[in-house]
Amino acid sequence: MLSQAQAADRAGLDTLTLGDHHSTGPAGYVQNVPMLGRILAEWTARPIGCLFLVPLWNPVLLAEQIGTLAAMSSGPFIVQTGLGGGEDQFRAMGADLGQRANRLEEGILVAQALLQGETVDSGLFAMEGARIAPLPPEGTEWWIGGGVPKAIDRAARLGDCWYGNADLTSDTAARDIEIYRGACARHGRQPVRIPIRKDAFIAESRVEAERVGGALVAGGYRGFDRKAVAYGDPESVADQLSVFADLGFTDIVIRTMSPLPPEIGPGGAYRSVELAGEVRALLA
């Protein structure tokens, strides 16, 4: 992860964010808050952020982690939110999967209020008189994900923007961005940006990238449609992603497709991130 962050820095990418997952067993998962603290030694003068599966977090702890990381970073701290899933993960974290929507919404509202310096009570979280410091010196941006109309409406109500899912194709993205625009109009909100996440593999050789990416998709890659991912050389990947810019998405957050075959190895992932800088230039 550190090597990919260093590659993103070399490529001059605009932002860097990490994901969130818990109780992964032997497979393991590098946790976002301590890893981001380490990456901040490599990543300067550009925004950074984290995805948080909000229903699995105590909102005071969540706000404290955000406030501390934001105090060490530049620009508004990007908070990406997710519902999370999996009965095993929720049980392991002592959370009720059936309450995740309520915990998501209340958790966002409580954390936002705390990060604005307010003293907060919450019946849902049995919380009284909570207050935190430090506060984010340059504020926060709340990117709220969602793939159904109710969740997209929540993003318009509570967030600075809606965060498009990685599984969206051009057709489903066109549908969902219109749902979001309608929700913004109803709630009188103007998004600061409209980002979308995309899984991609970029290589100097278009043939090699298509061989690797095609094999991953043929193997059922995350259950995604081929049109939801992008792979090829920088020019072809920029062409595949440009449709989302045409739809009105302002930012594309790239996650490297995995697992890459042994002959490609970690070096292929680092190089894919570096080449994302060329994709960025072509899209700009």
Side-chain angles (χ1 to χ4, degrees):
M1 288 186 70
L2 181 58
S3 294
Q4 289 201 42
Q6 292 166 338
D9 183 64
R10 291 192 298 271
L13 302 185
D14 299 285
T15 61
L16 188 150
T17 61
L18 300 184
D20 192 20
H21 201 51
H22 302 276
S23 188
T24 57
Y29 193 89
V30 177
Q31 291 298 303
N32 53 13
V33 172
M35 190 67 208
L36 199 64
R38 171 64 182 87
I39 287 171
L40 279 166
E42 315 283 335
W43 185 270
T44 59
R46 280 165 291 170
I48 201 164
C50 275
L51 168 72
F52 293 96
L53 302 179
V54 176
L56 298 177
W57 285 78
N58 177 289
V60 176
L61 179 61
L62 172 65
E64 288 173 338
Q65 302 302 300
I66 292 168
T68 299
L69 288 168
M72 297 188 290
S73 60
S74 297
F77 188 86
I78 297 168
V79 185
Q80 301 165 342
T81 73
L83 267 175
E87 187 70 49
D88 290 346
Q89 179 179 217
F90 270 71
R91 279 200 306 268
M93 297 295 286
D96 182 353
L97 185 64
Q99 288 292 312
R100 63 177 182 164
N102 291 338
R103 288 176 62 88
L104 173 71
E105 187 152 332
E106 179 76 356
I108 289 171
L109 290 170
V110 168
Q112 287 175 335
L114 290 168
L115 289 163
Q116 292 166 3
E118 299 177 21
T119 300
V120 182
D121 300 334
S122 170
L124 179 62
F125 290 100
M127 177 193 307
E128 185 176 344
R131 192 171 183 183
I132 69 153
L135 303 177
E138 298 184 64
T140 55
E141 282 187 16
W142 287 77
W143 298 12
I144 299 181
V148 298
K150 185 176 182 179
I152 295 171
D153 184 84
R154 181 191 297 124
R157 285 190 295 111
L158 302 182
D160 295 298
C161 61
W162 164 64
Y163 187 23
N165 290 341
D167 61 353
L168 293 174
T169 65
S170 58
D171 290 337
T172 55
R175 175 200 65 202
D176 285 0
I177 199 171
E178 286 308 310
I179 293 172
Y180 177 59
R181 286 170 172 151
C184 285
R186 287 194 304 275
H187 297 294
R189 302 297 295 270
Q190 181 64 41
V192 297
R193 65 182 85 230
I194 308 180
I196 188 170
R197 189 174 69 186
K198 288 284 111 192
D199 286 27
F201 177 64
I202 313 164
E204 286 91 346
S205 165
R206 180 174 181 175
V207 171
E208 177 71 0
E210 289 180 344
R211 180 185 69 80
V212 173
L216 288 171
V217 170
Y221 182 78
R222 297 181 181 268
F224 289 1
D225 187 290
R226 163 63 184 94
K227 295 179 181 178
V229 300
Y231 48 81
D233 60 9
E235 291 77 11
S236 62
V237 169
D239 184 60
Q240 292 167 64
L241 296 178
S242 64
V243 63
F244 298 101
D246 294 340
L247 290 172
F249 290 94
T250 59
D251 297 73
I252 297 174
V253 180
I254 289 180
R255 174 176 61 184
T256 303
M257 296 176 73
S258 65
L260 298 178
E263 68 271 18
I264 299 293
Y270 310 151
R271 186 58 180 148
S272 180
V273 174
E274 288 180 329
L275 291 169
E278 295 185 23
V279 174
R280 178 191 180 281
L282 289 165
L283 289 173

